[in-house]
Amino acid sequence: MDRTYTQSELRSIAEAIIMDAPRMSGGASVVVLTGDLGAGKTTLVQEIARVLGVEGTVQSPTFVVLKSYQTKSAEFPALYHMDAYRIEDVAELAPLRFESVVGTPGALVLIEWGERIKAALPQGALHVTLTTPDSYNDDRRSITYTKI
Ligand code: ADP
Ligand code: MG
């Protein structure tokens, strides 16, 4: 996938991520979202949550690091949203039960700033990069990933 999209095209991007999230036997589907502040990571997670039928608002888990949601999707009944920006050391993941989260079949785990916890990421995670083409005020964002 290599696309530039506007806000009105977000839904199709969210649907593509759900389709392309790696199906891992005996574990969660993990998608790592990399990109600068304002590149659209949280916005994309919010759209994915909407597509999966999560009720209520999905806010950036900047301070709580990890949040879980129930969806209406049969394939991914649980959605986890993580923001690893404040993680300094992978040891901080233990109290969050990160290992158990990535070991949960039927869970879709979306991780912002996942590159900060590289050592803890399961093999086979989908790595997605978001960029802002021109200015932050521009309505366009770009997405690139290689489906595994
Ligand atoms: P991040 O989580 O990567 O820091 P956010 O999703 O919080 O980024 O912020 C992205 C900002 O860019 C939001 O204010 C959003 O409204 C805006 N924006 C403009 N165009 C787009 C687009 N095509 N996709 C996503 N966000 C966009
Ligand atoms: Mg964010």
Side-chain angles (χ1 to χ4, degrees):
M1 157 91 90
D2 213 332
R3 262 185 74 182
T4 296
Y5 61 98
T6 60
Q7 303 249 33
S8 62
E9 294 168 301
L10 255 173
R11 191 179 179 92
S12 70
I13 301 292
E15 286 168 349
I17 300 275
I18 293 165
M19 290 253 292
D20 292 339
R23 271 55 174 178
M24 311 209 229
S25 63
S29 292
V30 178
V31 177
V32 177
L33 302 167
T34 297
D36 289 340
L37 216 65
K41 302 178 295 297
T42 300
T43 305
L44 184 55
V45 172
Q46 288 165 335
E47 187 66 18
I48 291 169
R50 207 166 294 137
V51 170
L52 292 176
V54 171
E55 279 173 10
T57 51
V58 170
Q59 274 173 350
S60 184
T62 312
F63 295 97
V64 292
V65 184
L66 181 68
K67 283 182 88 170
S68 67
Y69 301 90
Q70 272 187 356
T71 79
K72 292 194 170 68
S73 154
E75 191 176 23
F76 294 122
L79 174 71
Y80 288 88
H81 183 193
M82 182 167 178
D83 187 338
Y85 188 72
R86 288 191 154 67
I87 302 281
E88 305 266 337
D89 190 295
V90 289
E92 293 166 40
L93 296 172
L96 300 169
R97 303 182 48 77
F98 181 75
E99 292 239 342
S100 133
V101 168
V102 296
T104 306
L108 179 60
V109 183
L110 307 174
I111 309 176
E112 298 187 42
W113 299 101
E115 65 272 22
R116 295 184 61 90
I117 55 162
K118 222 176 241 157
L121 294 173
Q123 273 220 334
L126 182 68
H127 289 262
V128 173
T129 302
L130 300 178
T131 46
T132 312
D134 294 318
S135 74
Y136 173 80
N137 294 327
D138 199 300
D139 188 36
R140 290 172 308 155
R141 298 289 184 270
S142 294
I143 181 168
T144 177
Y145 62 82
T146 306
K147 200 189 160 184
I148 314 148

